[in-house]
Structures are given as C-alpha cells and as structure tokens.
Amino acid sequence: MSLMTRLLHPLAAAGCALAVNWVAAPAFASGFNSRLELQGIRFEVKSRDQGARQQLTITTTGAQRPISVIQQLVDGSVVGAEVADLNADGQPEIYVFVQESGSGSPGTLVGYALNNRRSLTPITLPALTRALAQGYRGHDSFAVVESCLARRFPLDRSGDHSAGSTVVYRQICYKLRAGEAGWILRPVSVATF
C-alpha cells in the first residue's frame, strides 16, 4: 500500500482493504482540455471560465517553425474539439465546438487550418441561409464525419400539428474550401431525419 493511499484514507492506514478509483482532474476546474494529433501536428485545446465567456487557448506543435499560441474569448462553453484534414491537402485543421448559453443555446465553431506547415489561418463557418435556418432553434452539435464537418440541430415543428412528439433533425455537411483571405466551410448536402 502506498504512503499516499495511507495518508488519504484512515481505513487504509488501519490495514483495511481499500479500492481507489483515480480520476484525472481537468486542467481547469470548469473548462475543457484536449490533446489531438494528425499528420505529425499536435494541438492542445484548453478553455477556462471567464464569467459568461471562456478563454480558449490553442497550442500547436510539430510544425516546421514555432506557431504562436492562439488565445481568444468565446461566448459560451467549449464542448468538444476534433482534428481533421477535410480538404485532403496533407495538413490538418483544428475544429473547436462551442455551445452558447441562454435561449436556444446556439452552437458555434472556432477553426484553424495549417498552411505550409508554418502558420494557422482562420476557418469561417458562414451563418445559416434562410432556407437552412428554417425551424432552427439552437442546440447544435458538430462532428467530423468522413470528409465533411457535420452540423446537426433539432427543428422547431411547433406549427406542424401532425408532428406529435417526434424530434426531427437537420444535418448539414460542410466541405472546406479556399476563400479570399482564409478558409470557408461550404454546405454541400442537407439531410432531415
């Protein structure tokens, strides 16, 4: 029995059997901490509360030269992060998923693409078009699915009297495309189920 176990629990010091489940504490008391790697590039994504906002920090290692740490405030809470190469250029992107608090809890995205293994360029997720936003009520979830970024959210069907209690979702598949001054996620398919 280790000294640490005896110090932490008086029954262990008395020689009683003790089962201990060790759970790693997150880096911040209420926040997010994840390490992701793809194609030799490592991203460490951390967030911590700053009131109604969170301080997001993205650290990148493994590039040809050092890349500055990204720090920015985001509205809401960081709920996930994924690394992918959606444009298949041999250089990964980092996607950080944020859930805003309050009415509807809309989801937002913070993304960066690696360029020439030397720098990061922002990725833009455009606002939903009128057609895609029809029935939108927030509660977005994001995931990398094969070669697209999928965004899913429940639809408000309060005007549809035949809807009953069935929840219907819209899922939009976005592909990463080059823009004028960065990268843009463009919708390429939409499914409702």
Side-chain angles (χ1 to χ4, degrees):
M1 183 180 310
S2 73
L3 174 62
M4 181 62 83
T5 303
R6 287 192 301 257
L7 292 173
L8 291 176
H9 200 283
L11 291 176
C16 297
L18 175 67
V20 178
N21 291 327
W22 294 100
V23 178
F28 302 108
S30 59
F32 182 85
N33 188 359
S34 182
R35 290 186 179 114
L36 305 160
E37 182 173 347
L38 183 65
Q39 299 160 331
I41 304 296
R42 291 169 300 286
F43 297 98
E44 183 172 16
V45 179
K46 292 183 180 182
S47 70
R48 62 182 168 149
D49 284 340
Q50 298 282 323
R53 306 177 96 189
Q54 283 194 346
Q55 174 68 47
L56 171 64
T57 303
I58 302 173
T59 306
T60 308
T61 55
Q64 287 184 356
R65 60 182 181 201
I67 294 177
S68 298
V69 173
I70 294 171
Q71 291 188 319
Q72 68 184 74
L73 287 175
V74 294
D75 291 324
S77 300
V78 174
V79 295
E82 289 196 51
V83 64
D85 184 6
L86 295 185
N87 61 353
D89 68 352
Q91 300 181 92
E93 306 97 36
I94 182 72
Y95 298 94
V96 180
F97 313 129
V98 179
Q99 195 75 46
E100 292 183 25
S101 56
S103 178
S105 300
T108 58
L109 173 86
V110 175
Y112 290 92
L114 189 65
N115 294 305
N116 299 319
R117 302 184 80 81
R118 295 179 180 190
S119 64
L120 292 173
T121 301
I123 296 172
T124 302
L125 177 65
L128 293 170
T129 63
R130 174 174 269 164
L132 292 177
Q134 186 174 0
Y136 178 79
R137 61 180 180 150
H139 304 284
D140 306 69
S141 59
F142 295 88
V144 173
V145 179
E146 296 177 7
S147 63
C148 79
L149 178 75
R151 177 185 195 177
R152 181 183 295 181
F153 50 86
L155 296 176
D156 180 5
R157 299 179 63 198
S158 58
D160 184 355
H161 299 293
S162 65
S165 61
T166 305
V167 178
V168 174
Y169 290 89
R170 177 170 295 136
Q171 181 169 298
I172 306 167
C173 177
Y174 295 89
K175 294 283 190 172
L176 188 62
R177 305 287 188 233
E180 289 182 27
W183 295 93
I184 300 174
L185 289 161
R186 297 279 186 206
V188 294
S189 66
V190 180
T192 303
F193 53 93

